Amino acid sequence: MNYSIADTREAHLSQLLHGTAQQLDISPDMFLAAEQRYLDVGKHLSEEGVDIYVQGSFMLGTVISPYGRSGEYDLDLVCHSKIAKTSISQEALKYRVGGFLEQYLDNVDPIDEEVPELEESRRCWSLKYKRFHMDVLPAIPDALSRSATAILLTDKQLRAWQQSDPLAYVAWFRRQCAQQFDLERRALAKAAAGTVDDVPEWQVRTPLHRVVQILKRHRDVYFAGDSDARTPSSLITTLAGLSYGGEVGLLEATLSVVQRMPSHVENRDGIFWVENPVCTGENFADKWSEYPDRRVKFVQWVGQVEKDLEAAVRETTGLPAVHQRLEKAFGQTPVRKAVSSIGEHARLERERGGMRVTTAGVLTTGAGVAVRDHRFFGG
Amino acid sequence: MARPPRRSLTVTRQALELCRRYPHAERPTVRADRLRWIVKLQPTPFSVTYTVRVNHVTGHRPRVIIVDPALHAPEGRKLQHVFPGDELCLYYDEFDARVDLLADTIVPWISEWLYFYEVWLTTDEWHGGGIHPTTETKSRRRR
């Protein structure tokens, strides 16, 4: 992040949004704990001849910390068996994978003295750990697709196999911010004094990644009392990817995205449709036919994001009032931590000799009188 | 390195530099060895504009008071880095009234103090750095 001292309202708000998104990012400890458990499950499954890989927000780099006490991180895995569709039924595949996971749990060496519980849901098996759960989706190759990574998924409520292509989706998302992705990855490589290839792609966060994190958190807070109506993350991520226009500042990027998002919802003969950009025929908005009020609430929510940000930009009663608006929209903890972090960086800038002040007294790293380093004194 | 001995900066010279650096502010009033100045400062584009009074007597510590809006501490908390009377404590020994211009030191530090005050209102943490007085710092502090 650019930690120069923001001397315009837009830059200041972008900095606050960026800091908030950084606070929402998964902590390195939590990431390692999840990775360690995933690799352990993966090792067992590979002995059974199936591959396992990460998909969803962990892979995309749009994962955020859960909101509220009951929230958990959700790590999505694909469990890929190289079996022809004609050789196995959905049910048989599901129970084959379930069996492998049962065996795993029978023989697992507990990590941090923790053995997860196994639960079945509609499309996957869930391994429930203390602070997160791992959803394991049984899958087979989709031989009829032109994509080498296309897969077929089981679904207890549907007779037909469900098509999906999570790896192509990740590649699509990265294409939506290709230029920024390249820049950020280079910047990370430079900061670590390594090469671009040393930086894992899932570690890169472009403004589009940050916009998705910001929107997901706003959604979590907005729908806290109405969680069934929450706009799903897949829908937010897809609409944001379709709407992103390469903006660099997070305020501008978020506002542009929310303003354009509704226009990417198609109406196909009365059915609201947001197509999976890498899987023709998959409608991410399929639930809106069954629950029309969820689409209405989505439109209201998107409008609220815009209202909240516009009101913050126009706030006239002072900086703490801007902080309060953001706390209300995104939750107190990440916003306060972001404010602290920005304050800390301002002090470091002064110590480095980079802080200046304009003739109106506005702190800046641009033109102005240099703020000589000093120590505040007194009680 | 020791500074070469020289005549202390006069308040007239201080006033001229304030006018030069902050041309939009009111002109300071100078009577004998006393300078009084009212300046409006806005530390960030979101901040309110603070009216600040600076009183300075040759060779002494400049006295800085926020006139409007009044400083306030949320319930159960105490303002940070102020002297009694809510006069701002802007430096330890980094300002020397004999040689340092208010325009280059005290004024930027006021803006900075106001910014860290606003951050403190939200976070209850003072991020501006500094030191709190102890017996040792009191006895060592000269100016």
Side-chain angles (χ1 to χ4, degrees):
Chain A
M1 168 181 189
N2 181 5
Y3 269 111
S4 63
I5 296 166
D7 57 8
T8 64
R9 288 185 161 226
E10 289 73 17
H12 202 120
L13 206 47
S14 286
Q15 204 171 45
L16 284 165
L17 290 172
H18 193 281
T20 302
Q22 278 184 317
Q23 296 300 329
L24 294 172
D25 230 316
I26 187 167
S27 71
D29 283 0
M30 193 61 217
F31 189 89
L32 283 175
E35 189 183 42
Q36 195 184 11
R37 284 158 179 76
Y38 143 66
L39 290 172
D40 200 55
V41 176
K43 195 171 141 231
H44 174 81
L45 291 174
S46 72
E47 285 162 11
E48 303 293 344
V50 291
D51 290 333
I52 196 160
Y53 58 83
V54 182
Q55 62 139 343
S57 64
F58 269 70
M59 190 63 175
L60 286 163
T62 55
V63 58
I64 58 165
S65 58
Y67 178 65
R69 286 182 186 191
S70 55
E72 291 179 342
Y73 285 101
D74 175 5
L75 174 60
D76 296 317
L77 303 175
V78 173
C79 180
H80 191 253
S81 306
K82 288 195 188 65
I83 300 174
K85 183 178 150 187
T86 46
S87 308
I88 197 163
S89 69
Q90 291 190 48
E91 196 181 17
L93 178 69
K94 182 92 176 264
Y95 287 101
R96 182 171 184 262
V97 172
F100 294 154
L101 292 170
E102 291 279 6
Q103 277 172 27
Y104 167 71
L105 294 179
D106 288 342
N107 301 303
V108 66
D109 289 325
I111 299 173
D112 301 334
E113 296 177 10
E114 187 186 14
V115 175
E117 309 241 322
L118 184 65
E119 276 178 27
E120 184 183 4
S121 55
R122 203 175 136 182
R123 288 182 163 196
C124 64
W125 294 98
S126 289
L127 289 167
K128 304 264 183 190
Y129 295 87
K130 261 178 259 157
R131 291 182 298 164
F132 70 100
H133 58 272
M134 219 185 259
D135 286 343
V136 183
L137 276 149
I140 55 170
D142 183 359
L144 295 178
S145 169
R146 282 189 295 175
S147 163
T149 51
I151 54 173
L152 296 172
L153 303 173
T154 68
D155 189 320
K156 277 167 53 164
Q157 293 177 16
L158 298 168
R159 283 198 52 194
W161 291 83
Q162 294 301 293
Q163 292 176 306
S164 191
D165 200 341
L167 293 181
Y169 184 85
V170 171
W172 170 83
F173 184 76
R174 287 178 187 152
R175 277 199 303 278
Q176 302 309 107
C177 53
Q179 203 184 341
Q180 296 75 20
F181 194 88
D182 208 38
L183 285 172
E184 293 291 332
R185 199 172 180 203
R186 277 168 209 257
L188 286 176
K190 199 176 161 197
T195 68
V196 169
D197 290 336
D198 294 338
V199 179
E201 291 182 302
W202 53 260
Q203 259 180 16
V204 179
R205 303 282 188 270
T206 70
L208 173 58
H209 291 74
R210 295 306 190 190
V211 168
V212 172
Q213 290 179 308
I214 285 288
L215 292 180
K216 281 165 69 175
R217 178 56 166 224
H218 192 285
R219 181 254 343 243
D220 289 348
V221 176
Y222 183 86
F223 287 104
D226 188 12
S227 56
D228 286 344
R230 280 161 37 116
T231 306
S233 295
S234 57
L235 208 48
I236 293 176
T237 310
T238 304
L239 290 173
L242 291 168
S243 305
Y244 180 59
E247 298 84 359
V248 176
L250 263 196
L251 175 68
E252 194 196 352
T254 312
L255 279 174
S256 310
V257 164
V258 292
Q259 285 159 2
R260 293 174 196 143
M261 269 167 98
S263 71
H264 290 286
V265 179
E266 294 172 66
N267 185 338
R268 294 187 180 177
D269 301 325
I271 296 172
F272 290 102
W273 201 280
V274 178
E275 186 145 278
N276 180 341
V278 297
C279 208
T280 313
E282 184 180 0
N283 179 15
F284 282 137
D286 57 350
K287 287 276 189 340
W288 287 352
S289 299
E290 204 178 328
Y291 306 100
D293 63 315
R294 293 190 189 172
R295 189 193 64 84
V296 175
K297 286 176 180 174
F298 157 77
V299 174
Q300 287 166 346
W301 165 64
V302 167
Q304 190 62 45
V305 176
E306 190 176 354
K307 274 189 218 156
D308 285 349
L309 294 179
E310 296 281 6
V313 183
R314 287 196 305 267
E315 178 60 57
T316 56
T317 64
L319 185 58
V322 175
H323 297 155
Q324 278 165 24
R325 282 190 181 277
L326 296 182
E327 285 179 5
K328 200 167 158 238
F330 300 107
Q332 197 182 73
T333 309
V335 173
R336 282 200 182 170
K337 286 185 178 166
V339 173
S340 280
S341 165
I342 293 166
E344 202 59 16
H345 279 87
R347 179 179 56 76
L348 291 171
E349 195 64 55
R350 180 195 75 214
E351 288 172 2
R352 271 200 293 273
M355 183 190 274
R356 294 187 175 77
V357 59
T358 69
T359 55
V362 177
L363 302 178
T364 177
T365 40
V369 175
V371 180
R372 196 198 284 180
D373 197 24
H374 66 119
R375 291 164 289 179
F376 289 110
F377 188 62
Chain B
M1 201 172 82
R3 290 191 173 100
R6 53 183 288 185
R7 196 167 69 95
S8 282
L9 284 172
T10 62
V11 287
T12 309
R13 171 78 199 287
Q14 293 282 13
L16 282 171
E17 291 297 331
L18 290 173
C19 290
R20 200 166 68 84
R21 294 289 171 80
Y22 304 95
H24 313 298
E26 289 175 33
R27 300 174 75 83
T29 55
V30 174
R31 299 254 186 287
D33 61 350
R34 284 171 188 276
L35 174 154
R36 285 171 67 89
W37 191 43
I38 298 286
V39 61
K40 291 186 189 298
L41 296 172
Q42 188 195 26
T44 80
F46 279 118
S47 305
V48 291
T49 299
Y50 294 86
T51 303
V52 185
R53 195 179 69 217
V54 180
N55 286 352
H56 183 47
V57 177
T58 308
H60 288 76
R61 169 164 66 83
R63 302 196 176 255
V64 179
I65 297 282
I66 307 301
V67 180
D68 184 67
L71 297 175
H72 77 279
E75 209 180 315
R77 284 158 60 183
K78 220 170 118 277
L79 285 173
Q80 302 281 297
H81 297 287
V82 287
F83 292 118
D86 292 349
E87 188 193 318
L88 309 195
C89 300
L90 298 170
Y91 60 92
Y92 177 55
D93 60 2
E94 295 85 6
F95 176 81
D96 182 341
R98 293 169 302 181
V99 294
D100 290 322
L101 290 169
L102 300 174
D104 284 349
T105 54
I106 299 297
V107 185
W109 294 343
I110 298 169
S111 259
E112 204 204 341
W113 188 97
L114 289 167
Y115 168 66
F116 287 116
Y117 160 71
E118 292 181 335
V119 169
W120 171 80
L121 284 174
T122 294
T123 64
D124 196 13
E125 288 166 8
W126 181 265
H127 287 285
I131 40 182
H132 289 283
T134 61
T135 321
E136 191 200 355
T137 55
K138 272 178 184 159
S139 61
R140 274 174 40 204
R141 193 163 187 255
R142 287 173 294 111
R143 290 180 286 269

